[in-house]
Amino acid sequence: MQVLIKPIMIVKEWSDEQLIAQVARGDTAAYEMLYDRYCSAVMGFALKITGDQSLAEEVVQETFWRVWRKADLFQTQRGAFTSWFFGITRNLSIDMLRRQKTQVQPVSETDQIIEQTADPSTDVPEAAWLRQRHQQMRTAIETLPKDQRSVIEMAYFRGMTRQEIAQATGEPLGTIHTRARLALQKLREELQMQGFEE
Amino acid sequence: MNEKIEELLPFYALDTVTESERREVEAYVASDPEAKRRLDVLMRTASALPYASEPLEPPAALKRTLMDRVNADAQKRFVPPPPAQKSGWSRFMDFFLSSPAQWLPQGVAVLSLLIALVVGAWGFSLRNELTRLQAETALLQKELADQRLVLAQIASPNAQTFVISGTDHQPQAHGQLIADSQTGSAVLVVSGLQQLEAGKIYEFWLIQGDTPVAAGLFEVNEEGKAILQVSQAVTPESYDAIGVSIEPEAGSVQPTGDIVMLGGLD
């Protein structure tokens, strides 16, 4: 069988930090590039937390609006752009979740319910890059013991404090501390093994 | 080491501490570089957690609404800079307009010559620019068509993913083959590969038993990444494994160079 292959390079001419610096100067083209790069990651992340598509869309809108309005507040020396950016998404999603008191759906159910549709304007190499990171992270999370995974789920994706987690699980606070620490250590090891780029 | 605060570090990284706990942690790591390093490691790991969510394209209308809002705001907040002081050219023109008798005879000749030179050079430059833009447009149109095709597959609910990893030759390399189980189309996504010397190229192989089938040539970008679209059916049942080797730039019928990546299709 003859198989034809067309190479498509992953081009990332502008780093996130370069783009956000341009956005801070009012560059809407740079802003649109950031949107195209991360909109589906933000949408998926917000949906996982809120469990509601319309709430997730509101989070996407508000996250990117804040990126536009507050781009000049982002400081490279304080961490990567994605930490800042996903921090905004997470806070908005958890706030919205608390306000709406919506029941969170497990990610696997959410994935089945929502049918993905391809936007013809989507940047394919960026989409493939994002999908690769998703697969790596998902594989790493699946290696965690269930009790460690659930601590991460409750703390990070539901915004529960360690005391709330201890109360919800009926475990001593010390056990919750240990599970959180071991979970992050194990995740790091797994991500490194898979070549996940930080 | 303060055990009580050390216990808070993972929760600080997961962003679930109270305001007073946050201040405690920040004061602690400010005075202990080792603790700061430990916290940074935890924070880098936690910052990857959003990728655990399945990426999902938001509606196109959302982007349009957002961009309208942003463009309107940009016009208000980022006013174009005021015109600079009069340029040398403006001052030159002022002189010409104010005292024509002084420059008219020689000026006409010089100006004619200048206009001829400028128009000639401009025409030449325009022709070059037009040729370049035509070539660029054709290339972009082809890339766009390719990318739309690939995207449809990546977004397919029937997509299956197979891991391909670096061998001892390039252990840092890693990637995935994303194959659509219904249509048989497939995309290979690789990263961490080294850039090759001139005259060499990477070749992708589909392997059935002991028989490798040449499946295409590719180069990687400066970051060691590439995406390859397989345009004919590749179902996991047809092949047992996949691999990447280094070959002469024209490619080979069988692998002749180092096998740098391997993966199974089961």
Side-chain angles (χ1 to χ4, degrees), chain B residues 160-187:
Chain B
Q160 286 181 288
T161 304
F162 304 96
V163 172
I164 181 168
S165 307
T167 62
D168 290 344
H169 293 289
Q170 293 197 34
Q172 76 289 352
H174 54 92
Q176 292 169 339
L177 181 75
I178 306 164
D180 188 308
S181 56
Q182 283 206 332
T183 64
S185 59
V187 168

Side-chain angles (χ1 to χ4, degrees), chain A residues 2-62:
Chain A
Q2 188 192 5
V3 179
L4 301 175
I5 288 205
K6 289 176 276 184
I8 301 169
M9 309 299 291
I10 295 179
V11 180
K12 242 185 166 181
E13 291 174 353
W14 295 83
S15 71
D16 297 340
E17 286 71 23
Q18 286 170 319
L19 287 177
I20 194 68
Q22 284 298 110
V23 172
R25 295 186 193 103
D27 184 341
T28 54
Y31 178 78
E32 193 169 356
M33 285 171 75
L34 270 181
Y35 180 90
D36 290 341
R37 188 173 288 178
Y38 287 111
C39 66
S40 56
V42 171
M43 180 74 186
F45 185 31
L47 183 62
K48 179 168 169 58
I49 294 175
T50 62
D52 180 290
Q53 179 133 12
S54 62
L55 289 183
E57 287 173 14
E58 273 186 58
V59 171
V60 174
Q61 184 99 349
E62 188 56 28

Side-chain angles (χ1 to χ4, degrees), chain A residues 1-5 8-10 32 36 40 43 68-69 90 116 122 124 134-135 155 162 195 198, chain B residues 15-16 21 41 44 51 54-57 63 73 77 147 174 176 215 220-221 227 230-232 239:
Chain A
M1 181 182 75
Q2 188 192 5
V3 179
L4 301 175
I5 288 205
I8 301 169
M9 309 299 291
I10 295 179
E32 193 169 356
D36 290 341
S40 56
M43 180 74 186
W68 168 252
R69 293 291 298 185
R90 179 176 172 273
Q116 261 185 283
T122 301
V124 172
H134 166 62
Q135 292 288 356
R162 57 207 173 96
E198 289 177 342
Chain B
D15 195 20
T16 55
E21 288 171 341
V41 169
R44 279 202 299 276
Y51 295 107
E54 180 86 26
L56 183 72
E57 201 69 38
K63 180 180 176 181
D73 188 62
R77 288 170 58 216
Q147 294 194 354
H174 54 92
Q176 292 169 339
V220 295
N221 68 3
I227 296 179
V230 182
S231 58
Q232 291 195 24
Y239 297 95

Side-chain angles (χ1 to χ4, degrees), chain A residues 1-12 23-26 28 31-32 35-36 38-40 43-45 47-48 53 57 60-61 64-65 68-69 82-83 86 90-91 111 114 116-120 122 124-125 127-138 141 152 155-157 159-163 165 176-177 180-181 184 187-188 191 194-198, chain B residues 7-8 10-11 13-16 18 21 41-60 62-63 65-67 69-71 73-74 77-78 142 144 146-152 154-156 159 161 172 174-176 178 189-192 204 206 213-221 223 225-234 239:
Chain A
M1 181 182 75
Q2 188 192 5
V3 179
L4 301 175
I5 288 205
K6 289 176 276 184
I8 301 169
M9 309 299 291
I10 295 179
V11 180
K12 242 185 166 181
V23 172
R25 295 186 193 103
T28 54
Y31 178 78
E32 193 169 356
Y35 180 90
D36 290 341
Y38 287 111
C39 66
S40 56
M43 180 74 186
F45 185 31
L47 183 62
K48 179 168 169 58
Q53 179 133 12
E57 287 173 14
V60 174
Q61 184 99 349
F64 278 101
W65 177 246
W68 168 252
R69 293 291 298 185
T82 47
S83 301
F86 284 131
R90 179 176 172 273
N91 291 338
D111 294 346
I114 306 299
Q116 261 185 283
T117 51
D119 180 342
T122 301
V124 172
W129 173 80
L130 203 57
R131 187 183 173 88
Q132 186 181 20
R133 289 175 84 74
H134 166 62
Q135 292 288 356
Q136 288 170 325
M137 190 66 205
R138 195 162 183 162
I141 280 189
I152 295 292
Y156 192 74
F157 293 105
M160 292 167 70
T161 65
R162 57 207 173 96
Q163 292 87 352
I165 298 170
I176 303 304
H177 291 159
R181 181 171 47 80
L184 287 177
L187 272 182
R188 179 169 176 74
L191 290 173
Q194 292 178 53
F196 186 92
E197 293 164 17
E198 289 177 342
Chain B
E7 284 177 338
L8 290 177
F11 294 92
L14 292 165
D15 195 20
T16 55
T18 62
E21 288 171 341
V41 169
L42 292 169
M43 289 185 72
R44 279 202 299 276
T45 307
S47 72
L49 282 167
Y51 295 107
S53 323
E54 180 86 26
L56 183 72
E57 201 69 38
L62 194 151
K63 180 180 176 181
T65 308
L66 183 69
M67 289 309 299
R69 195 177 173 195
V70 163
N71 284 324
D73 188 62
R77 288 170 58 216
F78 299 97
K142 184 175 178 303
L144 185 62
D146 286 347
Q147 294 194 354
R148 283 182 174 170
L149 197 65
V150 179
L151 180 67
I154 290 171
S156 164
T161 304
Q172 76 289 352
H174 54 92
Q176 292 169 339
I178 306 164
V189 183
V190 293
S191 54
F204 177 52
L206 296 163
V213 177
L217 306 171
F218 67 94
E219 295 173 327
V220 295
N221 68 3
E223 295 174 323
K225 298 175 180 175
I227 296 179
L228 311 173
Q229 181 202 348
V230 182
S231 58
Q232 291 195 24
V234 182
Y239 297 95

Side-chain angles (χ1 to χ4, degrees), chain B residues 130-141:
Chain B
L130 185 63
T131 309
R132 188 185 68 76
L133 284 175
Q134 281 171 337
E136 205 170 87
T137 304
L139 190 66
L140 286 173
Q141 281 174 338

